[in-house]
Amino acid sequence: TEYADISIKDLEQIAKSSFPLCMRHLFDKLKEDHHLKHGGRMQLGLFLKGVGLKLDDALTFWRAEFSQRVGVERFDKEYAYSIRHNYGKEGKRVDYSPYSCQKIISSSPGVGDHHGCPYRHFSEDNLRAALGKMGVNNQKIEDILDKVRNRHYQLACTLTFESVHGSSCDAGINHPNQYFIDSQKVLQS
Ligand code: SF4
């Protein structure tokens, strides 16, 4: 693999420093609710695989959260399969790829879903609050909302990246895992 392995204890830290808003939102909701619906489990689960979380660690991580809500037995019975499935260990044994921005932006999250792209799927108030929480200043937030109103969601995400990292991102954001890798490059340089 081209990525360094990531351990569970690092997740909290790298979620804050290097996850794009779509993944940070899912991560926070999982920690808060100890549950995510199918679309969220897929979007976050495949992203974490791309980040370098190994299957055994992924099972430990998801089990620790879900068991607080549904119990260990139900997790092992109903949810562990889909995580092994994401890693190509069940069913057709396809090694599924993490979702691109385009795929995430064109998804249709329903009530109670937390997947999707916040720039596309959040209300303006919620997006404003989420960006503030990431440390983006008010002037930049207005620039970002301007991109959103013109439906330039990936450009909005790129502006967020640049604001949070104090560094330009010339290629633009087109994949959550690219956001992560570019972030780690900036932070480690
Ligand atoms: Fe995630 Fe892409 Fe949306 Fe950024 S533009 S929040 S990386 S889906």
Side-chain angles (χ1 to χ4, degrees), residues 20-22 101 104-105 117-119 153-154 157 173 175-176:
L21 186 51
C22 55
C101 291
I104 293 170
I105 288 168
C117 171
Y119 302 97
Y153 309 114
Q154 290 168 233
C157 190
I173 298 300
H175 198 293

Side-chain angles (χ1 to χ4, degrees), residues 35-111:
H35 190 272
L36 283 178
K37 293 174 84 172
H38 178 75
R41 295 200 303 275
M42 292 295 288
Q43 184 176 310
L44 180 63
L46 290 171
F47 169 78
L48 291 175
K49 180 175 87 163
V51 157
L53 193 67
K54 294 278 157 258
L55 173 59
D56 283 349
D57 288 336
L59 284 168
T60 305
F61 168 72
W62 289 95
R63 185 183 289 119
E65 293 304 327
F66 268 62
S67 62
Q68 295 178 55
R69 176 83 172 263
V70 302
V72 174
E73 254 178 62
R74 221 183 118 195
F75 172 83
D76 286 341
K77 230 169 104 187
E78 289 176 31
Y79 298 97
Y81 175 93
S82 72
I83 295 174
R84 287 196 300 271
H85 192 263
N86 279 353
Y87 282 75
K89 301 297 181 204
E90 298 283 1
K92 284 185 286 180
R93 295 182 180 263
V94 177
D95 203 358
Y96 294 96
S97 304
Y99 295 167
S100 67
C101 291
Q102 215 178 9
K103 183 172 169 104
I104 293 170
I105 288 168
S106 61
S107 68
S108 319
V111 177

